[in-house]
Amino acid sequence: MTDLACAAIAIAANQSRLAAVEFLFDRGCAPEMIAHVLAAFTPAQCSEGAQTPR
């Protein structure tokens, strides 16, 4: 879950929050989980080597 959250945070930072929502939704995350991920995780919490998925 942390990898998925970090990928979404990277997308939000590099593209947009909407792109991050679409990324998580496409992977089956419920709206409540998407809201939690975007509210609780910050780029600083994610490992420095995290890459945005292609």
Side-chain angles (χ1 to χ4, degrees), residues 5-24:
C6 286
I9 296 304
I11 290 170
N14 294 323
Q15 296 175 27
S16 69
R17 288 178 65 86
L18 178 58
V21 169
E22 290 173 347
F23 171 79
L24 291 170

Side-chain angles (χ1 to χ4, degrees), residues 37-53:
V37 166
L38 294 178
F41 284 83
T42 64
Q45 290 173 308
C46 295
S47 64
E48 196 156 300
Q51 303 260 334
T52 302

